[in-house]
Structures are given as structure tokens and as C-alpha cells.
């Protein structure tokens, strides 16, 4: 084997070992969740209007954001028009992937769905940025 090919293969194997060969699943789920929220917020159908005007429990009381918070967000969506939606499935997938599948919702204050979705989006962006570093 030529020395240049050997060097190239050694470099390539080193990069795979350092970076891993699997895509970053957590980051992908967060990006897809952000996209799903944007689609819902930008939808102008009658169904979307009903969804955005619905009131839901506020699990982001002090602007807190964590992996468990996103699990709670998925739980909150269970009793809404977004139950079984792609957004909820992504949130549950993220909770499963990060080990926060079993969470409970203790909030009593309610806010409009539009505000809730905006907070989910900001939380995903924050977690995505933290994960990148």
C-alpha cells in the first residue's frame, strides 16, 4: 500500500473514532421539533386557529428549560388537538432518547398554545446550542 493512501486511511479512521460514525440523534430530533413548531405556528387553517387558541398547562413557569421539560411538554400535548401529532411524537422520542420518558406535569397555571409552542421552540434551540458546544 502506498504511503499516501495509508496516511489517508489512518486519518479517516482517526476522524471516525473521534467523531463517531453515527449522526447526532439528539440534535436531529431537536431540529425536527423546531421545524414542527414553526409549521404549526405558521399554519393559517381553521384547525390551526383552534389549536393555537387552546389553553394548556404552563410547564415553563420561570423560563426554565431542560430535557425533562420537553418530556413534560409532550405530556401536556396529550390533552390537546396536537395529541398524536408529529410534534408530540418528536418530543416523546427526545424524552426516550435522553432517558426522561417517565415525567409528570404539576403545573396549574395555563397559557395559550401559541405561547407554549414558542417556549418549546426556544427550549429546543437552547438545548441544541448547548449540545453543539
Amino acid at each position: 500500500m502506498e504511503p499516501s493512501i495509508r496516511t489517508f486511511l489512518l486519518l479517516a479512521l482517526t476522524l471516525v473514532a473521534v467523531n463517531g460514525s453515527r449522526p447526532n440523534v439528539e440534535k436531529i430530533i431537536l431540529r425536527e421539533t423546531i421545524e414542527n413548531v414553526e409549521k404549526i405556528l405558521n399554519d393559517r387553517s381553521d384547525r390551526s386557529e383552534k389549536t393555537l387558541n387552546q389553553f394548556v398547562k404552563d410547564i415553563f413557569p420561570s423560563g426554565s428549560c431542560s430535557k425533562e421539560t420537553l418530556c413534560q411538554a409532550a405530556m401536556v400535548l396529550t390533552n390537546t388537538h396536537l395529541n398524536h401529532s408529529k410534534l408530540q411524537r418528536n418530543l416523546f422520542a427526545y424524552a426516550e432518547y435522553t432517558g426522561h420518558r417517565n415525567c409528570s406535569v404539576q403545573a396549574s397555571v395555563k397559557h395559550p398554545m401559541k405561547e407554549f409552542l414558542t417556549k418549546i421552540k426556544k427550549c429546543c434551540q437552547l438545548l441544541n446550542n448547548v449540545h453543539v458546544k
Side-chain angles (χ1 to χ4, degrees), residues 11-35:
L11 179 61
L13 291 173
T14 303
L15 288 173
V16 169
V18 170
N19 295 325
S21 60
R22 291 183 9 194
N24 189 332
V25 175
E26 187 174 349
K27 196 171 178 176
I28 292 168
I29 295 172
L30 288 170
R31 277 195 232 130
E32 285 181 1
T33 303
I34 292 167
E35 290 172 10

Side-chain angles (χ1 to χ4, degrees), residues 50-61 72-83 87-88 105-120:
K50 288 179 187 177
T51 300
L52 294 177
N53 290 330
Q54 187 175 11
F55 278 76
V56 294
K57 292 183 178 183
D58 182 21
I59 54 158
F60 301 98
Q72 292 172 335
M75 296 298 287
V76 167
L77 292 178
T78 302
N79 297 317
T80 70
H81 296 296
L82 294 174
N83 189 28
L87 173 61
Q88 186 185 37
V105 177
Q106 302 297 325
S108 58
V109 176
K110 292 189 175 190
H111 289 283
M113 177 69 81
K114 185 174 184 175
E115 186 177 324
F116 180 73
L117 292 173
T118 302
K119 289 179 180 181
I120 290 174

